[in-house]
Amino acid sequence: MTAAPKLATYADLLATPEDVKAEILAGELVTQPSALFEHSYAQSGVVDGLRGPFDRGRGGPGGWWIVVEVDVQFTDHDVVRPDVVGWRRERLPSPWGKRPVEVVPDWLCEVLSPKKGVRRDRVIKRELYARHGVPFYWLIDPVAAVLEAFTLERGRWVLTGTYDRGAVARVPPFEAIELVVADLFMPEPPESAEE
């Protein structure tokens, strides 16, 4: 008889090298290489667009924590490190020194990565986030330069909008400002000169 595989826990995640991005999904320790340049650029673009008005209250309502890649624990065997994550401050009044954060986020954003990361973000994590009641989820495709925004309604994701680099939009839950979607993405490469 074969013993059931041991489900990974946060202790296993902490044992991974610091320079490795690791998460635990359904008890499996999942690692991935460092991000591509366009992934990091989109991640920074989200933070640049939201932190001022929503985290710092500059030109917006404030009242949020907007951070990148912190450990969020949903269960003993589901610990994720979202690309960008936000909490309303009244729900997470004192985040200092917390690792992992055990309060369900108010909003999550994942930047799609090639190959396995796309399935992980579009299927596995999306289902996990819905199951635990995360109200808002953004998916960003840095190659196609598209932002998809979802709202959780009765336990199911509803697409509230799809935006390309030409859009200036009020995207839930941050509709208090107009988001210039092009600012999330690297500038389009110049067309090669014809000879």
Side-chain angles (χ1 to χ4, degrees), residues 108-138:
L108 286 160
C109 176
E110 297 286 1
V111 179
L112 297 176
S113 297
K115 301 185 182 176
K116 287 186 181 180
V118 172
R119 180 179 177 278
R120 188 178 306 134
D121 292 337
R122 283 199 176 279
V123 179
I124 297 169
K125 285 182 166 184
R126 191 161 102 167
E127 181 198 295
L128 175 70
Y129 299 160
R131 191 168 59 244
H132 289 279
V134 175
F136 300 97
Y137 184 41
W138 289 9

Short mmCIF file of all heavy atoms in Angstrom, two decimals, residues 108-138:
data_model
loop_
_atom_site.label_atom_id
_atom_site.label_comp_id
_atom_site.label_asym_id
_atom_site.label_seq_id
_atom_site.Cartn_x
_atom_site.Cartn_y
_atom_site.Cartn_z
N LEU A 108 -7.61 41.08 -5.82
CA LEU A 108 -6.37 40.42 -6.23
C LEU A 108 -6.13 40.68 -7.70
O LEU A 108 -7.07 40.77 -8.49
CB LEU A 108 -6.47 38.90 -6.03
CG LEU A 108 -6.40 38.42 -4.59
CD1 LEU A 108 -6.99 37.04 -4.46
CD2 LEU A 108 -4.97 38.41 -4.13
N CYS A 109 -4.85 40.77 -8.06
CA CYS A 109 -4.47 40.96 -9.46
C CYS A 109 -3.34 40.01 -9.77
O CYS A 109 -2.33 39.98 -9.07
CB CYS A 109 -4.02 42.41 -9.67
SG CYS A 109 -3.41 42.74 -11.34
N GLU A 110 -3.53 39.24 -10.83
CA GLU A 110 -2.48 38.36 -11.31
C GLU A 110 -2.08 38.79 -12.72
O GLU A 110 -2.94 39.11 -13.54
CB GLU A 110 -2.93 36.89 -11.34
CG GLU A 110 -3.28 36.31 -9.98
CD GLU A 110 -2.09 36.02 -9.08
OE1 GLU A 110 -0.93 36.27 -9.47
OE2 GLU A 110 -2.32 35.51 -7.97
N VAL A 111 -0.78 38.83 -12.96
CA VAL A 111 -0.24 39.12 -14.28
C VAL A 111 0.11 37.78 -14.90
O VAL A 111 0.88 37.01 -14.32
CB VAL A 111 0.99 40.05 -14.19
CG1 VAL A 111 1.55 40.34 -15.58
CG2 VAL A 111 0.63 41.36 -13.47
N LEU A 112 -0.47 37.50 -16.05
CA LEU A 112 -0.28 36.20 -16.67
C LEU A 112 1.17 35.98 -17.09
O LEU A 112 1.81 36.89 -17.61
CB LEU A 112 -1.20 36.05 -17.88
CG LEU A 112 -2.69 36.10 -17.57
CD1 LEU A 112 -3.50 36.06 -18.87
CD2 LEU A 112 -3.11 34.97 -16.65
N SER A 113 1.63 34.77 -16.84
CA SER A 113 2.97 34.35 -17.25
C SER A 113 2.82 33.23 -18.26
O SER A 113 1.81 32.52 -18.26
CB SER A 113 3.77 33.84 -16.05
OG SER A 113 3.95 34.88 -15.12
N PRO A 114 3.81 33.05 -19.10
CA PRO A 114 3.70 32.01 -20.13
C PRO A 114 3.53 30.61 -19.54
O PRO A 114 3.88 30.35 -18.40
CB PRO A 114 5.03 32.10 -20.89
CG PRO A 114 5.61 33.41 -20.51
CD PRO A 114 5.06 33.78 -19.18
N LYS A 115 2.98 29.74 -20.35
CA LYS A 115 2.86 28.31 -20.09
C LYS A 115 2.02 28.00 -18.86
O LYS A 115 0.87 28.38 -18.78
CB LYS A 115 4.24 27.66 -20.05
CG LYS A 115 4.98 27.85 -21.37
CD LYS A 115 6.28 27.12 -21.40
CE LYS A 115 6.94 27.44 -22.73
NZ LYS A 115 8.21 26.91 -22.91
N LYS A 116 2.58 27.34 -17.86
CA LYS A 116 1.80 26.87 -16.72
C LYS A 116 1.15 28.00 -15.94
O LYS A 116 0.09 27.82 -15.37
CB LYS A 116 2.69 26.06 -15.78
CG LYS A 116 3.04 24.69 -16.30
CD LYS A 116 3.79 23.92 -15.25
CE LYS A 116 4.18 22.56 -15.77
NZ LYS A 116 4.91 21.79 -14.79
N GLY A 117 1.76 29.17 -15.92
CA GLY A 117 1.20 30.27 -15.15
C GLY A 117 -0.17 30.70 -15.64
O GLY A 117 -1.01 31.12 -14.85
N VAL A 118 -0.45 30.60 -16.93
CA VAL A 118 -1.75 31.01 -17.46
C VAL A 118 -2.85 30.12 -16.89
O VAL A 118 -3.86 30.61 -16.39
CB VAL A 118 -1.75 30.99 -19.00
CG1 VAL A 118 -3.14 31.22 -19.55
CG2 VAL A 118 -0.78 32.04 -19.55
N ARG A 119 -2.67 28.82 -16.94
CA ARG A 119 -3.67 27.90 -16.37
C ARG A 119 -3.80 28.11 -14.87
O ARG A 119 -4.91 28.11 -14.32
CB ARG A 119 -3.28 26.45 -16.67
CG ARG A 119 -4.29 25.47 -16.11
CD ARG A 119 -3.91 24.01 -16.43
NE ARG A 119 -4.86 23.11 -15.82
CZ ARG A 119 -4.82 22.73 -14.53
NH1 ARG A 119 -3.88 23.17 -13.74
NH2 ARG A 119 -5.73 21.90 -14.06
N ARG A 120 -2.70 28.29 -14.21
CA ARG A 120 -2.72 28.48 -12.76
C ARG A 120 -3.54 29.72 -12.39
O ARG A 120 -4.38 29.68 -11.50
CB ARG A 120 -1.27 28.62 -12.25
CG ARG A 120 -1.16 28.63 -10.75
CD ARG A 120 0.28 28.71 -10.30
NE ARG A 120 1.09 27.66 -10.89
CZ ARG A 120 2.29 27.85 -11.45
NH1 ARG A 120 2.84 29.04 -11.46
NH2 ARG A 120 2.96 26.85 -11.96
N ASP A 121 -3.32 30.84 -13.10
CA ASP A 121 -4.02 32.08 -12.77
C ASP A 121 -5.47 32.08 -13.26
O ASP A 121 -6.36 32.57 -12.58
CB ASP A 121 -3.29 33.28 -13.37
CG ASP A 121 -1.94 33.53 -12.70
OD1 ASP A 121 -1.75 33.10 -11.55
OD2 ASP A 121 -1.08 34.17 -13.33
N ARG A 122 -5.71 31.53 -14.46
CA ARG A 122 -7.05 31.56 -15.05
C ARG A 122 -8.00 30.50 -14.47
O ARG A 122 -9.21 30.69 -14.48
CB ARG A 122 -6.98 31.35 -16.56
CG ARG A 122 -6.54 32.57 -17.31
CD ARG A 122 -6.93 32.43 -18.77
NE ARG A 122 -6.61 33.63 -19.49
CZ ARG A 122 -7.36 34.73 -19.50
NH1 ARG A 122 -8.47 34.76 -18.82
NH2 ARG A 122 -6.99 35.78 -20.19
N VAL A 123 -7.45 29.39 -13.98
CA VAL A 123 -8.31 28.30 -13.54
C VAL A 123 -8.13 28.03 -12.04
O VAL A 123 -9.06 28.22 -11.25
CB VAL A 123 -8.05 27.01 -14.36
CG1 VAL A 123 -8.92 25.87 -13.86
CG2 VAL A 123 -8.29 27.26 -15.84
N ILE A 124 -6.96 27.59 -11.65
CA ILE A 124 -6.75 27.11 -10.27
C ILE A 124 -6.91 28.24 -9.26
O ILE A 124 -7.70 28.13 -8.32
CB ILE A 124 -5.37 26.45 -10.15
CG1 ILE A 124 -5.31 25.21 -11.07
CG2 ILE A 124 -5.07 26.06 -8.71
CD1 ILE A 124 -3.94 24.63 -11.25
N LYS A 125 -6.18 29.33 -9.45
CA LYS A 125 -6.27 30.43 -8.48
C LYS A 125 -7.63 31.12 -8.55
O LYS A 125 -8.19 31.51 -7.52
CB LYS A 125 -5.16 31.44 -8.72
CG LYS A 125 -3.81 30.99 -8.25
CD LYS A 125 -2.81 32.09 -8.50
CE LYS A 125 -1.53 31.89 -7.78
NZ LYS A 125 -0.63 33.04 -7.99
N ARG A 126 -8.16 31.27 -9.74
CA ARG A 126 -9.47 31.93 -9.88
C ARG A 126 -10.53 31.17 -9.10
O ARG A 126 -11.35 31.76 -8.40
CB ARG A 126 -9.83 32.04 -11.36
CG ARG A 126 -11.01 32.93 -11.61
CD ARG A 126 -11.04 33.36 -13.04
NE ARG A 126 -12.03 32.57 -13.76
CZ ARG A 126 -12.46 32.88 -14.96
NH1 ARG A 126 -11.94 33.92 -15.61
NH2 ARG A 126 -13.36 32.16 -15.55
N GLU A 127 -10.51 29.84 -9.18
CA GLU A 127 -11.47 29.04 -8.41
C GLU A 127 -11.21 29.18 -6.91
O GLU A 127 -12.15 29.31 -6.12
CB GLU A 127 -11.37 27.57 -8.82
CG GLU A 127 -12.37 26.71 -8.07
CD GLU A 127 -12.02 25.24 -8.12
OE1 GLU A 127 -12.06 24.66 -9.22
OE2 GLU A 127 -11.72 24.68 -7.05
N LEU A 128 -9.94 29.14 -6.51
CA LEU A 128 -9.60 29.30 -5.09
C LEU A 128 -10.10 30.64 -4.56
O LEU A 128 -10.71 30.71 -3.49
CB LEU A 128 -8.07 29.20 -4.92
CG LEU A 128 -7.52 29.46 -3.52
CD1 LEU A 128 -7.92 28.33 -2.57
CD2 LEU A 128 -6.01 29.63 -3.57
N TYR A 129 -9.87 31.70 -5.31
CA TYR A 129 -10.28 33.04 -4.87
C TYR A 129 -11.80 33.14 -4.77
O TYR A 129 -12.33 33.74 -3.83
CB TYR A 129 -9.73 34.11 -5.81
CG TYR A 129 -8.22 34.16 -5.89
CD1 TYR A 129 -7.58 34.77 -6.97
CD2 TYR A 129 -7.41 33.61 -4.90
CE1 TYR A 129 -6.19 34.83 -7.05
CE2 TYR A 129 -6.03 33.67 -4.97
CZ TYR A 129 -5.42 34.27 -6.05
OH TYR A 129 -4.05 34.34 -6.14
N ALA A 130 -12.52 32.55 -5.69
CA ALA A 130 -13.98 32.56 -5.63
C ALA A 130 -14.47 31.76 -4.41
O ALA A 130 -15.36 32.21 -3.68
CB ALA A 130 -14.58 31.99 -6.91
N ARG A 131 -13.88 30.60 -4.20
CA ARG A 131 -14.29 29.74 -3.08
C ARG A 131 -14.14 30.45 -1.74
O ARG A 131 -14.92 30.22 -0.82
CB ARG A 131 -13.47 28.45 -3.12
CG ARG A 131 -13.97 27.38 -2.20
CD ARG A 131 -13.32 26.02 -2.46
NE ARG A 131 -11.88 26.01 -2.32
CZ ARG A 131 -11.02 25.76 -3.31
NH1 ARG A 131 -11.44 25.49 -4.52
NH2 ARG A 131 -9.72 25.76 -3.09
N HIS A 132 -13.17 31.34 -1.63
CA HIS A 132 -12.93 32.03 -0.37
C HIS A 132 -13.51 33.43 -0.33
O HIS A 132 -13.28 34.18 0.62
CB HIS A 132 -11.43 32.03 -0.06
CG HIS A 132 -10.95 30.66 0.30
ND1 HIS A 132 -11.10 30.13 1.56
CD2 HIS A 132 -10.40 29.68 -0.45
CE1 HIS A 132 -10.63 28.90 1.58
NE2 HIS A 132 -10.20 28.60 0.36
N GLY A 133 -14.26 33.81 -1.36
CA GLY A 133 -15.03 35.05 -1.31
C GLY A 133 -14.26 36.32 -1.60
O GLY A 133 -14.67 37.40 -1.15
N VAL A 134 -13.17 36.25 -2.37
CA VAL A 134 -12.49 37.47 -2.79
C VAL A 134 -13.44 38.21 -3.73
O VAL A 134 -13.86 37.64 -4.75
CB VAL A 134 -11.15 37.15 -3.51
CG1 VAL A 134 -10.51 38.42 -4.04
CG2 VAL A 134 -10.21 36.41 -2.57
N PRO A 135 -13.80 39.46 -3.45
CA PRO A 135 -14.84 40.10 -4.25
C PRO A 135 -14.42 40.58 -5.65
O PRO A 135 -15.26 40.69 -6.54
CB PRO A 135 -15.30 41.29 -3.40
CG PRO A 135 -14.35 41.41 -2.28
CD PRO A 135 -13.50 40.19 -2.23
N PHE A 136 -13.13 40.87 -5.84
CA PHE A 136 -12.67 41.41 -7.13
C PHE A 136 -11.37 40.74 -7.55
O PHE A 136 -10.47 40.54 -6.73
CB PHE A 136 -12.45 42.93 -7.05
CG PHE A 136 -13.69 43.68 -6.68
CD1 PHE A 136 -13.93 44.05 -5.37
CD2 PHE A 136 -14.63 44.02 -7.65
CE1 PHE A 136 -15.08 44.74 -5.03
CE2 PHE A 136 -15.78 44.71 -7.32
CZ PHE A 136 -16.02 45.07 -6.00
N TYR A 137 -11.28 40.44 -8.85
CA TYR A 137 -10.10 39.76 -9.40
C TYR A 137 -9.78 40.36 -10.75
O TYR A 137 -10.66 40.48 -11.61
CB TYR A 137 -10.39 38.26 -9.53
CG TYR A 137 -9.24 37.40 -9.98
CD1 TYR A 137 -7.95 37.60 -9.50
CD2 TYR A 137 -9.44 36.34 -10.86
CE1 TYR A 137 -6.90 36.77 -9.89
CE2 TYR A 137 -8.41 35.51 -11.27
CZ TYR A 137 -7.14 35.74 -10.78
OH TYR A 137 -6.11 34.93 -11.17
N TRP A 138 -8.53 40.77 -10.93
CA TRP A 138 -8.06 41.27 -12.22
C TRP A 138 -7.04 40.28 -12.78
O TRP A 138 -6.18 39.78 -12.05
CB TRP A 138 -7.37 42.61 -12.07
CG TRP A 138 -8.24 43.78 -11.77
CD1 TRP A 138 -9.57 43.78 -11.44
CD2 TRP A 138 -7.82 45.14 -11.74
NE1 TRP A 138 -9.99 45.07 -11.20
CE2 TRP A 138 -8.93 45.93 -11.38
CE3 TRP A 138 -6.60 45.77 -11.96
CZ2 TRP A 138 -8.87 47.31 -11.26
CZ3 TRP A 138 -6.53 47.14 -11.83
CH2 TRP A 138 -7.66 47.91 -11.49
#
